[in-house]
Amino acid sequence: MKLDDLQKIAEHEVDFQRAYKHRINVCCSSGCVPFGALKVLKAFQEAVREFGVEKECKVARTGCVGTCSVGPAVIIDPGDYLYQSVTPEKVREIVRDHIVLGLPVKDMLYHGEAFFKKQRRLVLRNAGKIDPSRIEDYIAMGGYSAIGKCLATMTPQGVIYEVSRSGLRGRGGAGFPTGQKWSLVARTHTTPKYIVANLDEGDPGVFANRTLAEADPHAIIEGMLIAAYAVGAEKGYIYIRAEYPLAIQTLQKAIAQAKGMSLLGDNVLETGFKFDLELRFGAGAFVAGEETAILASVEGRRAMPRPRPPYPANSGLWGKPTLIQNVETLANIPVIIQNGGEWFSKVGTAKCSGTKCFSLTGQINNPGLIEVPMGITLREVVYDIGGGMQDNRPFKAVLVGGPSGGCLPEALLDLPIDYDSLTKVGAIMGSGGIVVIDDQSCMVDTAKFFTDFCVEESCGKCVPCRAGLVKIKETFENITQGTGKLDDIAALDKAGQYIKEASLCGLGQTAPNPVLTTLRYFRDEYVEHIVEKKCRAGKCFRNLKKEEDDAQ
Amino acid sequence: MLKDDNRKMMLDKVIKKFDYEASSLLEILHKAQEFYGYLDKNLMTYIANALRLPPSHVVGVATFYSFFKLKAPGEHVVTGCLGTACYVKAVDEIMTAIEQEFHLKRGGSTSDGKLSLFTTRCIGACAMAPNIIVDDEVIGKATKEVVLERVRLTLAGGGRRS
């Protein structure tokens, strides 16, 4: 297949889709499938036949719409009507009233317009709109035209220049400038070179990468193709969690389709450019998200990090130059090439351009998957997009950045979301988890929960992380069981600082964040636990209570 | 060594497909677990020999990753999601209720081998938290009552899970 053919497929597909008057998009992502989305899909297919409107209605299986808490979600176009919590029983009524009579069923519609209002969808541009199992759907949205443009009109240096100009920074959490990373790999003369796309997402409470892969797998593949062209790599791996079966299946299918159309392989779009792609499965190790650990895992070893330098850009997979990028970063690339780096740099803030996807969960009214421009405030995310606190309970804290992120109090809600301001207050962007908690949660208990997680996930290679975190865990046990001392507060603080400074990799360097931020912003709760043996939320001292009950 | 059955044949095929490459160890362990349900010592030794790796290396890798099971699970498996969102929504209380009613501990099985209780770090359905998985069915926005009832029904239904 040549570049011109791509254009023809797109035109043909657009004509094909125009022949339908309505498009019924049923969200069949991992969030909606367990709650009956596939049955809903089947019910729609049957209902349009029953009412004799199958020629004017295209029923499509799509990826995540974003409103995960009211799944299964269905969008009917034109008009962008979003139906919530659709069951097979409701489908007949929707088809009859909405499609046949032209009267949308008002009381089944989702009324959280605010959920979408402040979002900006670049990475999730096609999520919920295309059928991820059809490459033609992606091509019709302009897909693969960016790699076409690169191959036909741009030099690798030109591509890197455009990416640098966009100001895009790595979405895996650390925020390293993408263009700079690419030029480091491009500059080395050793071959072969590799690309590893990180889709491991070991943080509990985070599902943005999975959702992206389920909704728009080709955006990741196209991003990898462009990166490969720019840095001169011929082979790539997508490292994906084995716990994500639907995302794996979707990607496998997408890779096969891309190969079938010569978009991957020995002669991409008949230009002589070579790039091949394989999946590699993770197996449940949080530390595998770290760039040197992911390399060890792809090589079939324990996911243990090693000291840097040498950096993977010089010595990565099997000692060869390797570009490691988060899949969200890669999915931004086609948009940057299509619209230009300068256009992209105007989205978001001056220092942090573009958008960020977050899994927004916890005690709020509209949990789900969101994509917001950088610089939006936490308050806007929690109250405008998230719809405020569930049951109107008092806000207590927001956890940003997963188990090694920070717990931020109400006073910091007006903080703009970008790498630097989050780091300043002790949190991190992480791979994009925001969990909102109310007064039913105890901050000491929450910090203990994250510490337990990091103790289990520490690979054990370096002492500060392996032994230090256990020490913190023991101190927490004392405090939450009633044997804590006031000195423990200073001890926790000191241990946290040491671990942060002395650990080998990102896991250890960020693991104390929940401890340090809760100490900083919720110190009175620690004091209460130690001095008064009191837990406001009633989460701690359970053993103590039990002993009292038993004694009576 | 391993019994000469279909599963061994499939495993051999996978190992061959990966060209006996040591770097495909994780892929092969995944497939082995899929075929056999869990990885026991014999299985790991067999894979080690096939890939010409020391058995200690294979065991080291298999024990490092939490996805690999080293013990046979019970007939029915209940898995609680311990992701942050589920934790915040008190999944712990549901887990404790299961432990108390069916007399088992997290990570273990009942003495008759009918039920195992596992935890997983995050299934990524956080908006539906708390999530409990009973055999292969995900129960979202789970409550103690619903889950206990479902487990009781599952156990009463008997039979091996498909």
Side-chain angles (χ1 to χ4, degrees):
Chain A
M1 194 174 82
K2 286 188 182 160
L3 198 53
D4 298 345
D5 301 329
L6 203 62
Q7 186 62 32
K8 276 180 215 146
I9 294 175
E11 283 164 11
H12 178 262
E13 189 59 29
V14 170
D15 285 345
F16 176 67
Q17 287 177 6
R18 271 201 201 121
Y20 292 103
K21 244 168 80 189
H22 297 279
R23 194 178 155 99
I24 302 173
N25 289 332
V26 182
C27 173
C28 292
S29 66
S30 296
C32 284
V33 169
F35 306 101
L38 295 178
K39 284 182 196 143
V40 171
L41 180 73
K42 202 164 156 241
F44 267 110
Q45 285 160 343
E46 282 164 7
V48 294
R49 267 200 301 273
E50 188 194 328
F51 287 100
V53 288
E54 73 259 51
K55 289 225 172 73
E56 43 189 287
C57 278
K58 166 93 180 153
V59 179
R61 171 193 180 133
T62 68
C64 184
V65 171
T67 55
C68 310
S69 62
V70 291
V74 175
I75 291 184
I76 297 186
D77 266 332
D80 235 0
Y81 290 97
L82 173 55
Y83 286 95
Q84 61 173 351
S85 310
V86 180
T87 58
E89 294 75 40
K90 290 181 184 169
V91 165
R92 237 183 131 257
E93 191 187 338
I94 296 176
V95 173
R96 188 191 62 204
D97 289 10
H98 190 139
I99 308 284
V100 180
L101 302 174
L103 300 166
V105 193
K106 272 195 190 136
D107 51 347
M108 288 188 211
L109 286 172
Y110 180 69
H111 287 295
E113 285 77 15
F115 181 80
F116 292 104
K117 210 171 153 197
K118 291 200 168 172
Q119 294 196 47
R120 177 90 193 255
R121 301 207 156 202
L122 298 182
V123 173
L124 301 172
R125 55 194 177 275
N126 297 323
K129 292 189 182 138
I130 64 166
D131 180 344
S133 66
R134 291 188 76 238
I135 190 169
E136 295 85 1
D137 271 32
Y138 180 69
I139 294 175
M141 299 298 255
Y144 289 110
S145 65
I147 180 64
K149 183 177 172 186
C150 291
L151 291 170
T153 65
M154 296 169 86
T155 60
Q157 293 77 14
V159 175
I160 295 177
Y161 173 75
E162 217 46 63
V163 172
S164 301
R165 202 160 64 146
S166 74
L168 178 69
R169 293 166 69 173
R171 298 293 190 245
F176 191 80
T178 305
Q180 206 178 323
K181 205 179 209 178
W182 286 22
S183 46
L184 286 174
V185 181
R187 237 184 276 151
T188 57
H189 295 295
T190 321
T191 51
K193 295 177 187 177
Y194 297 100
I195 296 185
V196 175
N198 185 355
L199 213 165
D200 190 47
E201 212 167 37
D203 317 26
V206 177
F207 52 93
N209 288 352
R210 181 205 64 189
T211 312
L212 170 64
E214 285 176 4
D216 198 8
H218 290 286
I220 299 171
I221 299 174
E222 190 179 3
M224 284 183 88
L225 273 162
I226 297 169
Y229 175 70
V231 304
E234 291 187 355
K235 175 95 200 199
Y237 297 94
I238 301 178
Y239 185 83
I240 181 168
R241 285 185 83 187
E243 291 93 329
Y244 286 174
L246 184 59
I248 291 173
Q249 211 186 322
T250 313
L251 275 168
Q252 270 166 341
K253 192 158 188 186
I255 291 171
Q257 286 171 343
K259 279 187 183 159
M261 286 195 170
S262 79
L263 288 159
L264 283 173
D266 283 343
N267 194 4
V268 175
L269 292 170
E270 293 179 35
T271 58
F273 169 60
K274 226 171 124 173
F275 184 66
D276 207 359
L277 192 52
E278 263 181 61
L279 295 186
R280 279 285 185 266
F281 302 126
F286 181 51
V287 67
E290 202 273 341
E291 62 174 10
T292 57
I294 200 173
L295 294 174
S297 194
V298 173
E299 291 176 6
R301 297 183 283 121
R302 289 175 162 216
M304 286 169 121
R306 60 160 174 79
R308 296 171 301 181
Y311 287 92
N314 293 310
S315 173
L317 273 183
W318 299 288
K320 304 293 183 190
T322 303
L323 176 73
I324 302 173
Q325 300 265 241
N326 178 273
V327 290
E328 187 182 332
T329 318
L330 290 163
N332 271 300
I333 301 294
V335 185
I336 292 173
I337 298 299
Q338 275 167 357
N339 301 299
E342 203 186 330
W343 173 87
F344 186 88
S345 69
K346 290 192 177 119
V347 182
T349 67
K351 274 189 174 169
C352 291
S353 58
T355 59
K356 177 82 188 96
C357 301
F358 287 102
S359 328
L360 178 62
T361 59
Q363 314 282 18
I364 44 162
N365 286 319
N366 309 327
L369 176 75
I370 64 167
E371 182 178 347
V372 288
M374 294 275 188
I376 194 171
T377 65
L378 280 168
R379 191 183 297 280
E380 286 172 286
V381 169
V382 175
Y383 285 95
D384 297 342
I385 298 174
M389 305 302 292
Q390 208 171 23
D391 306 328
N392 279 324
R393 294 194 73 95
F395 171 94
K396 187 161 193 177
V398 54
L399 318 170
V400 189
S404 46
C407 305
L408 308 177
E410 182 148 27
L412 290 174
L413 273 182
D414 291 311
L415 191 80
I417 297 179
D418 63 63
Y419 298 96
D420 311 305
S421 29
L422 285 176
T423 312
K424 250 183 233 155
V425 295
I428 54 168
M429 184 82 84
S431 51
I434 295 184
V435 185
V436 182
I437 62 181
D438 63 18
D439 63 339
Q440 294 172 93
S441 289
C442 163
M443 296 318 292
V444 180
D445 182 61
T446 306
K448 175 172 168 268
F449 169 74
F450 288 129
T451 306
D452 287 353
F453 176 83
C454 290
V455 166
E456 266 182 44
E457 293 297 328
S458 170
C459 81
K461 186 166 182 168
C462 71
V463 181
C465 177
R466 181 180 69 228
L469 287 174
V470 171
K471 188 75 206 148
I472 289 190
K473 180 184 156 121
E474 282 166 8
T475 312
F476 269 117
E477 309 252 298
N478 289 340
I479 296 177
T480 55
Q481 283 168 15
T483 50
K485 296 186 291 289
L486 270 177
D487 294 348
D488 286 344
I489 294 181
L492 281 177
D493 198 48
K494 203 168 159 191
Q497 296 291 355
Y498 277 150
I499 296 169
K500 225 172 143 73
E501 279 165 31
S503 290
L504 174 63
C505 84
L507 190 150
Q509 285 158 10
T510 55
N513 281 342
V515 182
L516 295 173
T517 47
T518 46
L519 278 171
R520 196 191 308 181
Y521 304 118
F522 300 93
R523 185 175 288 255
D524 48 340
E525 286 193 37
Y526 281 85
V527 176
E528 245 171 47
H529 275 70
I530 294 168
V531 178
E532 301 173 41
K533 312 248 181 288
K534 182 179 134 195
C535 175
R536 292 183 210 180
K539 295 266 177 197
C540 308
F541 309 117
R542 283 206 188 134
N543 295 345
L544 220 62
K545 236 198 242 148
K546 200 164 165 284
E547 275 167 30
E548 275 172 24
D549 291 347
D550 290 346
Q552 275 170 7
Chain B
M1 276 297 127
L2 300 183
K3 263 198 297 183
D4 233 346
D5 60 7
N6 260 348
R7 295 182 293 187
K8 182 169 168 280
M9 225 170 66
M10 293 195 305
L11 183 62
D12 285 340
K13 230 186 220 170
V14 172
I15 296 174
K16 196 171 167 207
K17 190 188 125 200
F18 282 108
D19 232 3
Y20 305 91
E21 273 285 341
S23 67
S24 54
L25 176 59
L26 265 117
E27 279 30 63
I28 291 167
L29 290 176
H30 273 296
K31 281 289 174 192
Q33 177 161 299
E34 198 183 307
F35 300 153
Y36 288 88
Y38 67 106
L39 306 169
D40 72 0
K41 208 181 142 203
N42 280 339
L43 189 51
M44 286 191 278
T45 315
Y46 184 80
I47 293 169
N49 289 339
L51 301 181
R52 298 177 181 210
L53 288 166
S56 62
H57 178 88
V58 176
V59 174
V61 170
T63 50
F64 184 84
Y65 295 95
S66 63
F67 190 77
F68 296 125
K69 292 193 197 88
L70 306 171
K71 277 190 293 189
E75 246 173 72
H76 297 283
V77 178
V78 176
T79 310
C81 181
L82 268 195
T84 313
C86 292
Y87 181 76
V88 165
K89 296 231 172 179
V91 73
D92 205 54
E93 285 170 24
I94 304 176
M95 296 294 280
T96 310
I98 298 173
E99 286 179 323
Q100 282 168 356
E101 175 155 342
F102 300 100
H103 309 290
L104 79 172
K105 287 252 166 262
R106 273 161 235 213
S109 308
T110 48
S111 48
D112 59 2
K114 289 248 185 255
L115 183 71
S116 296
L117 183 63
F118 294 135
T119 58
T120 177
R121 267 313 177 178
C122 184
I123 60 161
C126 312
M128 290 294 199
N131 291 291
I132 299 269
I133 308 156
V134 179
D135 286 341
D136 292 325
E137 184 195 357
V138 181
I139 303 176
K141 297 185 180 171
T143 61
K144 207 157 55 183
E145 292 73 26
V146 168
V147 172
L148 287 175
E149 188 55 31
R150 191 67 55 94
V151 179
R152 278 181 218 128
L153 275 175
T154 306
L155 287 176
R160 291 199 70 84
R161 78 200 164 99
S162 51

